Short mmCIF file of all heavy atoms in Angstrom, two decimals:
data_model
loop_
_atom_site.label_atom_id
_atom_site.label_comp_id
_atom_site.label_asym_id
_atom_site.label_seq_id
_atom_site.Cartn_x
_atom_site.Cartn_y
_atom_site.Cartn_z
N THR A 8 -15.06 58.72 -17.26
CA THR A 8 -14.04 58.15 -16.37
C THR A 8 -14.62 57.84 -15.01
O THR A 8 -14.33 56.80 -14.40
CB THR A 8 -12.86 59.12 -16.22
OG1 THR A 8 -12.27 59.36 -17.50
CG2 THR A 8 -11.80 58.56 -15.28
N LEU A 11 -16.60 54.68 -15.24
CA LEU A 11 -15.69 53.53 -15.31
C LEU A 11 -15.11 53.19 -13.94
O LEU A 11 -15.03 52.03 -13.55
CB LEU A 11 -14.55 53.84 -16.29
CG LEU A 11 -14.78 53.47 -17.76
CD1 LEU A 11 -13.59 53.94 -18.60
CD2 LEU A 11 -14.97 51.97 -17.91
N GLU A 12 -14.71 54.24 -13.20
CA GLU A 12 -14.16 54.01 -11.87
C GLU A 12 -15.19 53.36 -10.96
O GLU A 12 -14.87 52.45 -10.18
CB GLU A 12 -13.68 55.33 -11.27
CG GLU A 12 -12.42 55.88 -11.94
CD GLU A 12 -12.04 57.24 -11.41
OE1 GLU A 12 -12.92 57.90 -10.78
OE2 GLU A 12 -10.89 57.66 -11.60
N LEU A 191 -0.57 53.36 -20.58
CA LEU A 191 -2.01 53.48 -20.77
C LEU A 191 -2.52 54.77 -20.14
O LEU A 191 -2.00 55.22 -19.10
CB LEU A 191 -2.73 52.29 -20.15
CG LEU A 191 -2.37 50.90 -20.68
CD1 LEU A 191 -3.13 49.83 -19.90
CD2 LEU A 191 -2.65 50.77 -22.17
N ASP A 192 -3.57 55.35 -20.76
CA ASP A 192 -4.20 56.48 -20.09
C ASP A 192 -5.19 55.95 -19.06
O ASP A 192 -5.36 54.73 -18.91
CB ASP A 192 -4.89 57.41 -21.11
CG ASP A 192 -5.98 56.71 -21.92
OD1 ASP A 192 -6.60 55.76 -21.38
OD2 ASP A 192 -6.22 57.10 -23.06
N VAL A 193 -5.82 56.85 -18.33
CA VAL A 193 -6.68 56.45 -17.22
C VAL A 193 -7.82 55.53 -17.69
O VAL A 193 -8.09 54.48 -17.10
CB VAL A 193 -7.26 57.68 -16.51
CG1 VAL A 193 -8.28 57.25 -15.44
CG2 VAL A 193 -6.16 58.51 -15.88
N ALA A 194 -8.46 55.89 -18.78
CA ALA A 194 -9.59 55.09 -19.28
C ALA A 194 -9.12 53.70 -19.70
O ALA A 194 -9.77 52.69 -19.41
CB ALA A 194 -10.26 55.81 -20.44
N GLU A 195 -7.98 53.64 -20.37
CA GLU A 195 -7.46 52.35 -20.81
C GLU A 195 -7.10 51.46 -19.63
O GLU A 195 -7.32 50.25 -19.65
CB GLU A 195 -6.24 52.56 -21.71
CG GLU A 195 -6.58 53.13 -23.08
CD GLU A 195 -5.35 53.50 -23.88
OE1 GLU A 195 -4.32 53.86 -23.26
OE2 GLU A 195 -5.42 53.45 -25.12
N GLU A 196 -6.52 52.07 -18.60
CA GLU A 196 -6.19 51.30 -17.39
C GLU A 196 -7.44 50.75 -16.73
O GLU A 196 -7.47 49.61 -16.26
CB GLU A 196 -5.43 52.18 -16.40
CG GLU A 196 -3.99 52.47 -16.80
CD GLU A 196 -3.26 53.26 -15.74
OE1 GLU A 196 -3.91 53.66 -14.74
OE2 GLU A 196 -2.05 53.50 -15.90
N LEU A 197 -8.51 51.55 -16.71
CA LEU A 197 -9.76 51.11 -16.10
C LEU A 197 -10.39 49.97 -16.92
O LEU A 197 -10.87 48.98 -16.35
CB LEU A 197 -10.73 52.27 -15.98
CG LEU A 197 -10.34 53.34 -14.95
CD1 LEU A 197 -11.23 54.57 -15.08
CD2 LEU A 197 -10.45 52.78 -13.53
N TYR A 198 -10.37 50.09 -18.24
CA TYR A 198 -10.89 49.01 -19.09
C TYR A 198 -10.07 47.73 -18.90
O TYR A 198 -10.62 46.63 -18.82
CB TYR A 198 -10.87 49.43 -20.56
CG TYR A 198 -12.07 50.22 -20.99
CD1 TYR A 198 -11.94 51.53 -21.45
CD2 TYR A 198 -13.35 49.66 -20.94
CE1 TYR A 198 -13.06 52.27 -21.85
CE2 TYR A 198 -14.46 50.38 -21.34
CZ TYR A 198 -14.31 51.69 -21.79
OH TYR A 198 -15.42 52.41 -22.18
#
Side-chain angles (χ1 to χ4, degrees):
T8 300
L11 271 176
E12 289 175 342
L191 301 177
D192 60 29
V193 174
E195 289 172 331
E196 287 184 355
L197 290 169
Y198 276 118

